[in-house]
Amino acid sequence: MRFVLASQSPARLKTLRNAGVEPEVIVSGVDEDNVTAESPGELARALATLKARAVVSTLTDHATVLGCDSVLEIDGVAYGKPGTPEVARERLRMMSGGTGILHTGHCLFDTRTRQELRELASTTVRFADLTDAEIDAYVATGEPLVVAGSFTVDGLGGPFVAGIEGDYHNVVGISLPLVRRMLAEVGIAWPSLWAVPRKLRYDEAEAARYDETRGGTERAQAAAEAVMELLPKGGRVLELAVGTGLVAAELVAHGNLMHGLDLSPAMLHHARVRLPGHVAAADATRLPIADRRCDAVLAIWLLHLLDDSTQVLAEASRVLRPDGVFITTTEKPESSRYAAGRTPNEHRSEDALPLLVARAAQYGLYLDGATTFPGPARGNTAVPIYPLIRFRRSAS
């Protein structure tokens, strides 16, 4: 599932990440200054709705989009980002020793079901008595200039918050309990959003250097040529964990119709350039594809990263047409160990050949082809040779 956060707030992104969710961030570009509403709470909800709708209008594939916006209410007046040091300083003096209500509007739009939910969470905030010196020092940091209400509870402004009544995360800018309930209303369980282990996640810096550190175009060409030995001619090919799309692009050059899925927004950012309109965010264990729609499914250097490869095999079998093929690398950790002159690992990886053959058979996938290709040499070790195997989907 593609889960998009329609907000540029680092605090909202960090809150979701700390809760195990890695959203794709798309900034809406909504001009907040020109939006009005009957009350501060309604203003927050309206801004969140506009953000979500603006992002939805740019999408070319299905996604669940969450827009959020926060407004501080004091004595019935709405306060957003101050923007200038003078305004921030005046506002903090007004807030000192007082109480306000932090409203965060939430709008969840699920494009698959066309459902739009609009909710508001409100939390009472008590502010400490601040000295002029503290206010001046805080304003000088720049933090209060770019946040709703001129303060943060999770940053430098935390010591200036004497207490809250309600959801702490809502003061940060996103109410996790509320979002969980909203997701449930559109049929999405919160645990299904939990991010995969760190070893499967990549930030933009890692994604930018991924091709170079994995052997670049030369390695991709070698992998693609090996895959071509096992691919049927023509048909629809789905690559799981497509990464930056480097191998997939080589396969397109060989005349294949390629589609790619990945969980990493950073990797997909690069893949979309190489495979425009043919990549999407999705989990390999829950493919957003109907039964028997693919002629081939590829998993290049994926299975060894998993804690359990069973569900990937099951999903590959489900989406393959009868006589379709599942092609995957195997024994990657062992190939690297052999190239470095080491003995096999006592703990076999999830891509171990005997394990894959036994598991695949449970889902009507039977080993019927194999080849190899060279990988990039690392340090002073020999060039590792990676096995590539093909399972064929039974006709039944």
Side-chain angles (χ1 to χ4, degrees), residues 70-74 77-96 100-103 125 127-128 130 134-161 171-172:
S70 298
V71 172
L72 178 66
E73 177 184 354
I74 298 179
V77 178
Y79 296 94
K81 302 179 182 70
T84 68
E86 293 73 24
V87 174
R89 191 174 290 107
E90 178 183 351
R91 193 171 298 172
L92 287 165
R93 285 173 179 156
M94 175 190 67
M95 292 159 50
S96 177
I101 302 174
L102 198 290
H103 301 287
V125 183
F127 300 103
L130 307 181
E134 288 175 324
I135 291 174
D136 290 340
Y138 186 37
V139 170
T141 68
E143 181 181 270
L145 277 64
V146 294
V147 291
S150 311
F151 78 100
T152 65
V153 71
D154 60 330
L156 297 177
F160 305 142
V161 177
V171 183
V172 179

Side-chain angles (χ1 to χ4, degrees), residues 48-352:
T49 301
L50 290 172
K51 286 182 176 181
R53 290 177 178 176
V55 169
V56 167
S57 70
T58 68
L59 300 179
T60 57
D61 54 0
H62 287 301
T64 301
V65 178
L66 176 65
C68 295
D69 200 275
S70 298
V71 172
L72 178 66
E73 177 184 354
I74 298 179
D75 296 330
V77 178
Y79 296 94
K81 302 179 182 70
T84 68
E86 293 73 24
V87 174
R89 191 174 290 107
E90 178 183 351
R91 193 171 298 172
L92 287 165
R93 285 173 179 156
M94 175 190 67
M95 292 159 50
S96 177
T99 299
I101 302 174
L102 198 290
H103 301 287
T104 298
H106 299 69
C107 178
L108 187 75
F109 196 111
D110 184 69
T111 65
R112 201 174 294 274
T113 62
R114 305 300 299 175
Q115 287 180 270
E116 182 184 75
L117 305 179
R118 299 182 297 275
E119 299 288 350
L120 181 70
S122 302
T123 304
T124 300
V125 183
R126 291 188 292 107
F127 300 103
D129 292 312
L130 307 181
T131 66
D132 287 343
E134 288 175 324
I135 291 174
D136 290 340
Y138 186 37
V139 170
T141 68
E143 181 181 270
L145 277 64
V146 294
V147 291
S150 311
F151 78 100
T152 65
V153 71
D154 60 330
L156 297 177
F160 305 142
V161 177
I164 63 173
E165 297 175 18
D167 180 4
Y168 165 85
H169 294 110
N170 188 60
V171 183
V172 179
I174 179 171
S175 173
L176 295 180
L178 177 57
V179 173
R180 182 184 67 83
R181 293 195 299 272
M182 294 172 75
L183 286 165
E185 286 191 45
V186 298
I188 298 172
W190 178 262
S192 70
L193 293 181
W194 283 337
V196 290
R198 182 64 185 86
K199 61 185 178 182
L200 294 183
R201 280 190 274 138
Y202 301 89
D203 60 22
E204 185 52 49
E206 291 174 302
R209 61 176 180 265
Y210 183 86
D211 293 343
E212 179 184 353
T213 59
R214 299 307 193 277
T217 302
E218 183 179 354
R219 186 274 298 173
Q221 290 174 341
E225 289 172 5
V227 170
M228 286 301 300
E229 294 181 33
L230 303 177
L231 267 181
K233 291 184 179 180
R236 178 171 295 171
V237 183
L238 174 68
E239 183 175 358
L240 311 180
V242 70
T244 63
L246 191 60
V247 174
E250 294 293 332
L251 291 170
V252 169
H254 282 283
N256 295 285
L257 175 60
M258 296 296 302
H259 303 278
L261 303 176
D262 206 290
L263 276 172
S264 168
M267 298 289 260
L268 286 172
H269 174 74
H270 296 268
R272 287 192 175 99
V273 176
R274 291 180 169 131
L275 303 170
H278 288 267
V279 297
D283 187 339
T285 65
R286 294 187 294 273
L287 298 179
I289 297 171
D291 295 354
R292 304 194 175 195
R293 293 297 180 89
C294 301
D295 297 288
V297 176
L298 309 182
I300 308 300
W301 288 339
L302 167 66
L303 301 185
H304 71 285
L305 296 172
L306 305 178
D307 294 325
D308 187 351
S309 60
T310 302
Q311 192 56 36
V312 173
L313 294 169
E315 282 291 271
S317 175
R318 180 182 66 78
V319 303
L320 279 172
R321 294 189 175 102
D323 209 38
V325 299
F326 174 61
I327 299 172
T328 181
T329 44
T330 182
E331 305 286 359
K332 182 181 186 297
E334 298 307 314
S335 298
S336 301
R337 292 178 70 87
Y338 294 145
R342 293 179 291 165
T343 58
N345 194 338
E346 292 183 2
H347 174 70
R348 301 309 299 272
S349 172
E350 284 295 304
D351 75 338

